[in-house]
Amino acid sequence: MSATLILIIIASYFGILMLISHITSKNSSDASFYTGDRKSPWQVVAFGMIGAVMSGVTFVSIPGMVGTNYFYYLQFVFGNVIGYVFITYVLLPIYYDLKLISIYTYLETRFGIKTYKTGSLFFLISQSFGAALRLLLAAKILQFAVFDAFNIPFYITVILILILIWFYTHKSGIKTIVWTDTLQTFFLILAAIVSIYVVKSSLNLNFTETITAVTNHKYFKVFDWDFNSGSNFYKQFISGFLIAVAMIGLDQNMMQKTLTCKNKKEAQNNILTFSLILAVTQFLFLGLGVMLYLYAEKFGIQLETLNGKFINTDDLFPMLSLNHFGIIASVSFILGITAASFSSVDSSLTALTTSFTHDFLDIQHKNSKDKKRLKNRVLIGFSIVIFTIIMLFSESKGDVISTIFKVAGYTYGPLLGLYLFGIFTKIKIKDAAVPFICVLMPLLTYYLNHIFITKFSFDLGFMNILVNALLTILSLIIVTTKNEK
């Protein structure tokens, strides 16, 4: 598949995004960028959120990681589903009752201004790293498939993607993204379905035989009961629950989309529907992973290994799609990864802009001209931040999804502790102590995990978020006010 053809496909896709932006930006107000005028159909929001959560990470990392981590990721998904139920019936009522734009305003209501600023700051750090790492993976694939042929450096590729995203998001923000995410989700799922069909046909399997081949494969191991393993069932399930609550329910990016729904009931329908579709889609990608390894094995395709284990598993799906699956699968893959490139960062940039302008610049009290000026400057500023992080991690190896969840455990842990403490207790704390607690607890969690690994061969895995949150809660209890004591 020629690089020129791929470039034409990407340009056509971008043209569709610009058309959607043009349509949705009509009759937009200053608030449209942040709230979508609270008129988004919940069915559209639910489907579009799939693409935003999955992005290029699920698209590429999950199929590849099957070769080293079997189906153990499904344990994490089971925990996610329970986490979404918690978001639906505990967090959403709070956000809607308080009529929040930035969800971190809750922390000011419950604890005080410094806790509020600290919570927002931790989100800004978490979201910047998460968005950058998700975009990094997609950008690397586009670099390999397209831009290397034109001798365009990687950093230029990243800049071009960020500029394109700015073009279709800077006018109406979340109002546009609700609809562009729907398109992006469609192409992500389409690429997986087309790839499964191509592999199934190449292996001469019918539908029933395909199911049998996947479920009887040595990689089809769903549960890990080794307690010392980082993929142990209990660690994965509990961390799946907590990370869903933190990375969706306490994430301005995801909740901003949900809060564009007309009312609380529709927002709850959105989250429940989204959680079920997401679980099915992730299982689909795990099954695709097994089929990719079956394909490589049958046709004698050599995969990179080290000490008997597959490495750089993120390269598996792109390599087979672009070099072995034919023109239709290649086109669908390019559309899917292009959708992943944009969906992984467009809503993140909008959420980062929303959080910073509302939580630190008090934009809601500015006039219309100042609002527009500040919004555009902050949007460009965070684009530069994401670009910088991408370049710092540009030489990283392995599956990106594990890196994202490990980073999330350290950065979202204090946020999770603050919200759980605030929701389930009435205790007042010393607001001034919270910034120090939120900085120290992730460092302590990292140190404890290091000790457990070196002394006891016990890896916390994704459970670092639980330890982090519990340490935060214990610290908050220690710094309660004298009157409470």
Side-chain angles (χ1 to χ4, degrees):
M1 188 175 182
S2 71
T4 303
L5 176 59
I6 296 175
L7 197 60
I8 292 171
I9 293 170
I10 295 173
S12 301
Y13 179 79
F14 174 69
I16 296 173
L17 294 180
M18 287 301 298
L19 177 62
I20 294 174
S21 175
H22 174 71
I23 294 171
T24 55
S25 62
K26 291 180 178 179
N27 301 318
S28 293
S29 64
D30 291 334
S32 297
F33 184 92
Y34 305 104
T35 68
D37 300 323
R38 301 198 189 278
K39 294 180 180 179
S40 302
W42 69 264
Q43 299 91 338
V44 174
V45 177
F47 188 71
M49 284 176 65
I50 303 297
V53 171
M54 288 169 47
S55 70
V57 174
T58 302
F59 188 69
V60 172
S61 277
I62 288 183
M65 75 190 300
V66 167
T68 56
N69 203 45
Y70 308 112
F71 264 58
Y72 293 155
Y73 183 74
L74 204 57
Q75 303 169 122
F76 183 82
V77 174
F78 295 151
N80 285 167
V81 173
I82 305 304
Y84 297 136
V85 173
F86 179 88
I87 294 168
T88 301
Y89 295 107
V90 177
L91 294 179
L92 278 181
I94 293 173
Y95 299 154
Y96 267 88
D97 290 346
L98 294 175
K99 298 180 180 178
L100 302 182
I101 295 177
S102 168
I103 63 173
Y104 308 109
T105 310
Y106 164 77
L107 295 175
E108 181 180 21
T109 304
R110 177 63 178 84
F111 297 118
I113 188 69
K114 291 184 178 178
T115 303
Y116 163 45
K117 301 292 186 184
T118 302
S120 180
L121 180 60
F122 266 74
F123 162 75
L124 296 176
I125 295 170
S126 303
Q127 191 66 204
S128 296
F129 272 94
L133 291 175
R134 290 191 294 268
L135 181 57
L136 168 63
L137 181 59
K140 278 186 172 182
I141 295 170
L142 290 176
Q143 180 70 27
F144 167 76
V146 184
F147 297 105
D148 277 344
F150 297 99
N151 296 317
I152 296 175
F154 179 66
Y155 75 91
I156 297 295
T157 300
V158 177
I159 291 173
L160 286 173
I161 293 172
L162 290 171
I163 290 174
L164 292 177
I165 289 170
W166 184 86
F167 271 121
Y168 73 85
T169 59
H170 79 281
K171 287 185 178 180
S172 298
I174 199 68
K175 186 177 180 180
T176 295
I177 287 167
V178 164
W179 293 95
T180 56
D181 276 0
T182 302
L183 181 71
Q184 290 157 350
T185 297
F186 171 78
F187 282 120
L188 280 170
I189 296 176
L190 177 65
I193 293 173
V194 170
S195 297
I196 289 174
Y197 179 80
V198 168
V199 175
K200 178 185 77 68
S201 300
S202 299
L203 298 177
N204 296 316
L205 300 174
N206 59 35
F207 180 77
T208 303
E209 290 170 339
T210 301
I211 299 298
T212 303
V214 171
T215 55
N216 289 341
H217 197 275
K218 63 182 180 179
Y219 292 157
F220 192 76
K221 297 179 183 178
V222 178
F223 301 104
D224 182 1
W225 302 110
D226 179 4
F227 195 68
N228 288 333
S229 171
S231 58
N232 169 263
F233 170 78
Y234 299 105
K235 295 179 186 177
Q236 289 280 297
F237 184 84
I238 295 171
S239 60
F241 166 78
L242 295 174
I243 286 179
V245 173
M247 293 189 69
I248 304 297
L250 305 182
D251 185 290
Q252 177 68 28
N253 180 7
M254 294 301 161
M255 286 298 98
Q256 189 169 357
K257 294 186 182 73
T258 302
L259 294 175
T260 66
C261 294
K262 296 175 184 178
N263 53 55
K264 179 172 66 178
K265 180 64 177 176
E266 292 197 1
Q268 290 174 319
N269 289 339
N270 158 55
I271 291 295
L272 292 176
T273 304
F274 150 76
S275 66
L276 294 176
I277 298 175
L278 180 62
V280 172
T281 304
Q282 289 172 320
F283 181 80
L284 180 72
F285 273 83
L286 286 168
L288 171 61
V290 172
M291 297 183 70
L292 294 177
Y293 283 102
L294 282 171
Y295 184 95
E297 181 181 336
K298 179 176 180 177
F299 293 99
I301 299 171
Q302 295 297 315
L303 304 178
E304 194 174 358
T305 60
L306 180 65
N307 297 325
K309 293 185 177 182
F310 294 115
I311 58 174
N312 296 328
T313 54
D314 285 349
D315 295 339
L316 176 66
F317 191 16
M319 182 268 292
L320 293 179
S321 294
L322 297 174
N323 300 324
H324 298 275
F325 286 174
I327 186 68
I328 295 177
S330 296
V331 169
S332 67
F333 178 83
I334 289 299
L335 285 171
I337 201 62
T338 302
S341 300
F342 292 146
S343 68
S344 63
V345 73
D346 57 10
S347 57
S348 293
L349 282 170
T350 301
L352 288 164
T353 302
T354 299
S355 182
F356 190 78
T357 54
H358 278 78
D359 299 339
F360 292 94
L361 301 181
D362 198 28
I363 197 171
Q364 58 269 40
H365 297 123
K366 307 288 185 182
N367 61 49
S368 181
K369 183 178 179 180
D370 287 342
K371 284 181 179 179
K372 185 176 181 179
R373 176 177 55 82
L374 285 174
K375 178 198 70 179
N376 288 333
R377 287 183 178 180
V378 172
L379 191 59
I380 292 172
F382 277 112
S383 298
I384 294 172
V385 169
I386 288 176
F387 169 78
T388 303
I389 295 172
I390 287 174
M391 299 315 298
L392 289 174
F393 283 83
S394 60
E395 300 300 322
S396 61
K397 303 289 184 181
D399 62 276
V400 174
I401 194 167
S402 296
T403 304
I404 288 175
F405 287 138
K406 286 178 181 177
V407 171
Y410 294 110
T411 53
Y412 279 96
L415 265 177
L416 181 62
L418 285 170
Y419 272 84
L420 291 179
F421 188 83
I423 293 169
F424 294 109
T425 77
K426 299 295 183 182
I427 299 173
K428 294 181 180 180
I429 62 172
K430 293 179 180 177
D431 183 41
V434 171
F436 300 99
I437 290 173
C438 290
V439 170
L440 292 175
M441 292 311 106
L443 296 175
L444 180 57
T445 302
Y446 180 84
Y447 178 68
L448 288 174
N449 191 44
H450 174 72
I451 291 177
F452 285 145
I453 292 174
T454 54
K455 299 291 184 182
F456 309 106
S457 298
F458 180 88
D459 186 3
L460 288 174
F462 297 160
M463 282 287 286
N464 61 354
I465 192 171
L466 174 61
V467 175
N468 201 348
L470 288 176
L471 289 173
T472 301
I473 291 171
L474 289 173
S475 300
L476 293 173
I477 293 172
I478 293 173
V479 299
T480 54
T481 61
K482 291 183 179 180
N483 289 338
E484 284 292 330
K485 291 180 180 179

